[in-house]
Amino acid sequence: MNFIQKNFKGILVCFLIAIPSWLIGKSFPVIGGPVIAILAGMVITCFWTEKGTAESGIKWTSKIILQTAVVLLGFGMNLGVILQTGKQSLPIIISTISTSLIIAWLLRKVLNVPSNTSILVGVGSSICGGSAIAATAPVIDADDTEVAQAISVIFFFNVIAAVLFPVLGNALGFDTTSGNAFGVFAGTAINDTSSVTAAASTWDSMWNLGSETLNTAVTVKLTRTLAIIPITLVLSLIRAKSAAKDGKSSGKFSLKRAFPMFILYFIIAAVITTVCMSLGVNADVFAPLKELSKFFIIMAMAAIGLNSNVVKLVKSGGKPILLGASCWVGITVVSLAMQHIMHIW
């Protein structure tokens, strides 16, 4: 009862922002519900500066609902199918993820971008956009302004990619009789699922390929998503060791304390999905949980928007955008180079 009294108002506000954001996002998938929610939250908080009793629930939503959303993402993953069909793209995925993380690490000091922001932009660019940022933020203790900054950067390049990539693919001479090459390109070089879907669908429409490109691109994208697991685990270990070294945590380094439990639940959810589907359970059974995950991410983004300082965000926006551009260009070039080496393109 005490929890409800303390948090109900803030959770309700985030829920009410999430509903129209979710509906509008379905009509405009290139933009997506999470971006609409975070922008709505930012606008509202410009006028609603004193949140009073709602503040606790908003903070709870931005943390716990976000982690719950990541766990539910696991129910959309059949590990066996992803690993089997993603073999062709695996070397490209490893190369592009490594490229983005290295660029983010190198440019962090050069551009003087805050550490958490550079990590979020790096993983968001290289793995799966908003979902990767959602999974990584709690692990590195990123604040809501840093999450909002990274989401904004990812959104900016999502829109560009959705429009530019089909044109670029045509100019580069991708095979127009098969969707495989462009599907691998879109799945490895575009950072968010919404834009991967938009670009791949456009390519299918351009060359009357049915859903061939879309199927390839989404499979590759899901394979990339699996990188959330090792990346977040490594970051949590680094964070915990650093805290222990600086004397910010009690006692010696502990793997149990460092391990983000919601990532363990994410893995368990993916394993449950894999086992059930191998036993003949229809994938549609897990569809409601996947939809709930998407809605929870939108709710969490509304909370993050409500907790964000828009003025600070605008003032500090240039350097993270430059960082995101560098990661994105690096990923695109490496993806093309690897496809050329592997004779896919």
Side-chain angles (χ1 to χ4, degrees), residues 52-237:
T53 55
E55 188 169 353
S56 175
I58 293 170
K59 287 183 177 179
W60 186 87
T61 301
S62 73
K63 302 289 183 184
I64 305 303
I65 291 294
L66 189 60
Q67 293 181 11
T68 304
V70 173
V71 173
L72 292 175
L73 278 175
F75 286 105
M77 295 186 175
N78 183 337
L79 301 179
V81 173
I82 291 172
L83 293 175
Q84 184 178 356
T85 56
K87 286 178 183 177
Q88 180 188 42
S89 60
L90 194 58
I92 305 173
I93 291 170
I94 293 171
S95 300
T96 53
I97 290 175
S98 301
T99 299
S100 180
L101 295 177
I102 290 169
I103 289 173
W105 182 75
L106 290 174
L107 290 184
R108 177 177 66 85
K109 289 187 177 180
V110 175
L111 297 175
N112 196 28
V113 176
S115 177
N116 282 350
T117 301
S118 67
I119 291 171
L120 293 176
V121 171
V123 297
S125 299
S126 61
I127 301 175
C128 55
S131 299
I133 292 171
T136 306
V139 172
I140 62 174
D141 296 322
D143 61 37
D144 288 342
T145 300
E146 290 166 334
V147 174
Q149 187 83 73
I151 289 284
S152 300
V153 170
I154 296 302
F155 161 67
F156 180 69
F157 292 106
N158 273 346
V159 175
I160 294 176
V163 176
L164 178 63
F165 267 52
V167 178
L168 180 62
N170 190 30
L172 291 173
F174 273 88
D175 184 7
T176 58
T177 61
S178 166
N180 183 61
F182 187 81
V184 172
F185 179 45
T188 54
I190 301 177
N191 55 43
D192 197 79
T193 304
S194 60
S195 290
V196 170
T197 302
S201 298
T202 299
W203 188 263
D204 279 331
S205 298
M206 286 170 63
W207 308 109
N208 298 314
L209 296 173
S211 62
E212 185 180 339
T213 310
L214 181 61
N215 292 339
T216 300
V218 170
T219 300
V220 171
K221 186 68 182 59
L222 287 174
T223 307
R224 272 174 76 189
T225 304
L226 292 177
I228 287 176
I229 299 169
I231 294 296
T232 50
L233 290 181
V234 169
L235 286 172
S236 64
L237 292 174

Side-chain angles (χ1 to χ4, degrees), residues 42 114 117 143-146 148-149 307-318 320:
M42 288 178 186
T117 301
D143 61 37
D144 288 342
T145 300
E146 290 166 334
Q149 187 83 73
N307 284 331
S308 298
N309 185 325
V310 180
V311 175
K312 182 180 177 182
L313 203 62
V314 172
K315 285 183 177 178
S316 61

Side-chain angles (χ1 to χ4, degrees), residues 255-341:
L255 177 61
K256 185 177 179 180
R257 284 201 304 268
F259 193 94
M261 292 305 294
F262 72 96
I263 295 296
L264 174 61
Y265 300 143
F266 169 86
I267 297 170
I268 292 171
V271 170
I272 290 171
T273 304
T274 303
V275 171
C276 288
M277 292 181 73
S278 68
L279 295 174
V281 176
N282 195 301
D284 291 342
V285 170
F286 299 102
L289 293 175
K290 289 164 64 178
E291 282 299 309
L292 183 59
S293 169
K294 293 174 184 177
F295 184 78
F296 277 178
I297 286 179
I298 293 170
M299 262 189 80
M301 290 305 118
I304 287 168
L306 288 168
N307 284 331
S308 298
N309 185 325
V310 180
V311 175
K312 182 180 177 182
L313 203 62
V314 172
K315 285 183 177 178
S316 61
K319 290 179 179 179
I321 287 176
L322 183 56
L323 175 66
S326 301
C327 291
W328 186 53
V329 171
I331 288 170
T332 302
V333 171
V334 169
S335 176
L336 289 170
M338 287 295 294
Q339 286 184 78
H340 201 63
I341 291 170

